[in-house]
Amino acid sequence: MTDVAIKRALLSVSDKTGIVELGAKLAKAGVELVSTGGTARALRDAGLDVLDVSDITGFPEMMDGRVKTLHPMVHGGLLAVRDDPDHAAAMEAHDIGAIDLVVVNLYPFVNTVMSGADRDTIIENIDIGGPSMVRSAAKNHAYVTILTDPADYHGLYDELAEHDGATTLAFRKAMAAKAFAATAAYDSAISSWFAFADQHEQFPAALTVAGKLGDTLRYGENPHQQAALYLPNGPATLGVPQAEQVQGKALSYNNLNDADAALGLVAEFPADKPAIVIVKHANPCGVAVADTLLEAWQAALACDSVSAFGGIVAANVPLDGATAKAITEIFTEVVIAPGADDAAREAFAAKPNLRLLILGEMPDPARPGLDMKTIAGGILFQSRDNGVIGEGDLKVVTRRQPTDQEIADALFAWKVAKHVKSNAIVYAKDGVTAGIGAGQMNRRDSSRIAAVRAGEAAEAAGWSEPRTVGSAVASDAFFPFADGLLSAVEAGATMVIQPGGSMRDDEVIAAADEAGIAMVFTGMRHFRH
């Protein structure tokens, strides 16, 4: 069967957007309307003739509406294979009328959860009859049209107009696919709530991940790869996908990934002091806090002005005109911040290809949640790295005690190192990164690379010495040998912050003592692969 004429429609929706218009158009075309509860009332209030489901089933709605459509008179009309003689005979014998169109959207389970409702209210908003009708209609899409999204009503109007009151098999297939996706996402939200919120499981026996297409992207990391952005169906932290894009070209896969990295790091710094983060290829290349946002930008840029070209910039406070103008003096792909004043927007407007993203509020770096990574043959999940270290968590392991300034610089460097790809080494001084070494196969090379970057920055700025002199250095994991620490000493670091825990900790501590520097252990590692 290809085209199927719509003669009887069952309408039962929670979201009543456009339902009266739909009912009126169907009624005008001579379609018999069958409905339930509030949907039936809305249609009748609009002057439309509606047949109650109870008139078809012979049973009233009961148990507070829990039982109304779960009946052979409904599901027989949905599931019957109409050109099967046995099915046709059963329909005739039991006076089951065919239902050609089902328009259903489900109880607002996710919205109920997000509203902070109590457990009983949440349970009551688990739809049973709706998904059953959706699945029956979608399974039998050879004969039945299913709509689950008000956005598809106009597509139905076009179908009926172009095909003399009927729908095509292609349309029904597309709507069936969308319907099964809707019920799958709905069940995923319910199972996730039960597992995480109700039962407080960290890793449930079965885990489903549902999302809706946000946008298709020009390509992935490379032009030969296809890519798309999906958005969570349920409650989610605000991030780059939810930001308002004020100007610029569409965001690419790499833009989204890099902007997320920049946002994650800049959110670590409270808004009581302006911070700037510059990211390139998902690694920070310059980070600074200062009394003004412009000063923070200038200090972060000076850390590695070469890598900053074509990078991503994130701020933890709204952008002002002077800072925006300074940012536009180099090629920048994306700027993201909680806000931007009129002067800043005007400055960025002079660079129409620059993407300006306004988020409104910063994500909480300490929030719980799971990170996901696919591998061949499986999916890896882990809890987010939301670990935070304060001064009270530090254990001094050297003879020399660190100064207050060294502790402040060490904690700053530690925050940055958490967001640098392993092996990570970060030098910092006076709230500014001095050098960053990322993604090397050994810690010694990361330390040396960071020192080289610092030397190049000093030469470019005309400083008498690199900022690594007198700096604190953070290592995202323990030093397995003393060589990495000695490289930091050669660069001029006077303070080391690292997790500790190596079999050779005593050797590393002895090297620090011999060099006369201070060192603290955090007891926490921040690998980032």
Side-chain angles (χ1 to χ4, degrees):
M1 180 176 287
T2 54
D3 290 5
V4 175
I6 304 298
K7 297 177 181 178
R8 176 186 268 188
L10 195 162
L11 283 60
S12 181
V13 295
S14 176
D15 178 359
K16 295 178 175 54
T17 303
I19 196 64
V20 170
E21 179 186 3
L22 174 61
K25 287 182 180 292
L26 294 173
K28 186 176 180 180
V31 177
E32 182 181 42
L33 302 182
V34 181
S35 191
T36 63
T39 306
R41 286 193 297 274
L43 296 171
R44 288 194 180 103
D45 289 345
L48 301 175
D49 292 330
V50 181
L51 192 66
D52 283 319
V53 165
S54 59
D55 295 330
I56 294 175
T57 64
F59 280 84
E61 293 186 17
M62 61 181 70
M63 302 177 184
D64 298 320
R66 285 189 171 201
V67 179
K68 49 190 173 187
T69 60
L70 297 170
H71 195 281
M73 297 298 287
V74 174
H75 286 272
L78 295 175
L79 286 167
V81 179
R82 298 181 189 179
D83 51 8
D84 182 306
D86 290 340
H87 286 213
M91 293 179 75
E92 184 175 357
H94 298 285
D95 197 25
I96 297 174
I99 300 173
D100 310 302
L101 170 66
V102 175
V103 182
V104 169
N105 53 61
L106 309 176
Y107 293 172
F109 177 82
V110 170
N111 290 343
T112 302
V113 171
M114 293 178 68
S115 73
D118 58 64
R119 188 179 191 278
D120 288 346
T121 302
I122 290 171
I123 296 298
E124 204 57 37
N125 275 273
I126 298 176
D127 203 331
I128 302 300
S132 299
M133 287 191 292
V134 169
R135 291 174 62 83
S136 292
K139 174 178 179 176
N140 207 27
H141 61 270
Y143 308 94
V144 182
T145 305
I146 172 67
L147 297 184
T148 55
D149 185 349
D152 293 318
Y153 295 172
H154 285 280
L156 175 67
Y157 302 155
D158 294 340
E159 277 282 299
L160 298 179
E162 294 172 10
H163 300 282
D164 196 23
T167 60
T168 61
L169 180 59
F171 181 78
R172 295 194 301 277
K173 282 182 177 180
M175 293 300 101
K178 190 168 184 177
F180 278 119
T183 57
Y186 194 74
D187 286 340
S188 175
I190 294 169
S191 67
S192 293
W193 177 82
F194 267 107
F196 298 119
D198 191 58
Q199 298 299 306
H200 304 291
E201 296 179 273
Q202 185 171 20
F203 300 113
L207 179 61
T208 58
V209 178
K212 55 189 175 183
L213 182 64
D215 198 7
T216 53
L217 309 175
R218 282 198 303 153
Y219 53 81
E221 284 186 286
N222 301 290
H224 65 276
Q225 294 173 268
Q226 295 180 317
L229 169 67
Y230 280 82
L231 304 175
N233 282 308
T237 297
L238 293 180
V240 178
Q242 288 76 36
E244 174 197 0
Q245 183 167 351
V246 176
Q247 66 170 61
K249 299 181 292 185
L251 293 165
S252 69
Y253 180 98
N254 290 333
N255 290 155
L256 287 161
N257 188 53
D258 290 350
D260 178 69
L263 180 63
L265 175 49
V266 84
E268 298 271 5
F269 300 101
D272 57 354
K273 195 162 188 178
I276 286 285
V277 170
I278 307 173
V279 161
K280 190 68 171 292
H281 298 310
N283 268 311
C285 58
V287 184
V289 296
D291 293 332
T292 69
L293 197 60
L294 178 59
E295 289 172 326
W297 160 254
Q298 291 167 335
L301 177 63
C303 178
D304 187 353
S305 59
V306 174
S307 297
F309 184 86
I312 310 292
V313 177
N316 68 336
V317 296
L319 294 153
D320 58 82
T323 306
K325 188 174 185 305
I327 292 172
T328 63
E329 291 174 359
I330 70 165
F331 171 52
T332 301
E333 289 273 10
V334 180
V335 178
I336 184 166
D341 64 20
D342 291 342
R345 292 176 185 239
E346 183 179 350
F348 287 128
K351 300 287 184 179
N353 287 334
L354 180 149
R355 292 91 157 176
L356 174 60
L357 306 178
I358 301 301
L359 188 56
E361 62 184 76
M362 306 300 283
D364 178 7
R367 68 188 182 278
L370 294 178
D371 287 337
M372 178 182 74
K373 179 180 176 63
T374 60
I375 60 174
I379 306 173
L380 295 173
F381 283 90
Q382 64 174 348
S383 59
R384 288 189 66 258
D385 184 0
N386 56 5
V388 176
I389 291 295
E391 184 174 348
D393 301 304
L394 304 179
K395 177 184 178 182
V396 180
V397 295
T398 50
R399 290 193 295 267
R400 184 167 88 71
Q401 296 291 309
T403 67
D404 290 344
Q405 183 59 53
E406 285 176 329
I407 289 175
D409 286 338
L411 290 172
F412 175 87
W414 184 253
K415 283 184 179 181
V416 178
K418 175 182 173 182
H419 294 265
V420 177
K421 298 296 176 65
S422 298
N423 288 308
I425 293 291
V426 176
Y427 295 89
K429 184 178 180 181
D430 299 329
V432 181
T433 51
I436 299 173
Q440 298 305 302
M441 287 67 74
N442 66 73
R443 204 157 296 281
R444 182 200 62 188
D445 286 353
S446 289
S447 184
R448 288 175 173 174
I449 289 170
V452 169
R453 293 281 186 272
E456 291 174 344
E459 184 178 349
W463 300 330
S464 60
E465 60 184 14
R467 284 176 172 165
T468 51
V469 176
S471 70
V473 61
S475 174
D476 64 343
F478 61 66
F479 286 105
F481 303 97
D483 56 359
L485 180 138
L486 293 174
S487 294
V489 172
E490 289 174 9
T494 60
M495 165 73 171
V496 176
I497 181 170
Q498 59 135 320
S502 168
M503 293 177 60
R504 295 182 175 83
D505 275 349
D506 289 344
E507 175 186 325
V508 176
I509 293 170
D513 282 336
E514 185 175 351
I517 67 171
M519 183 163 65
V520 295
F521 284 178
T522 65
M524 179 182 292
R525 189 179 76 182
H526 281 310
F527 267 156
R528 190 178 187 87
H529 289 98

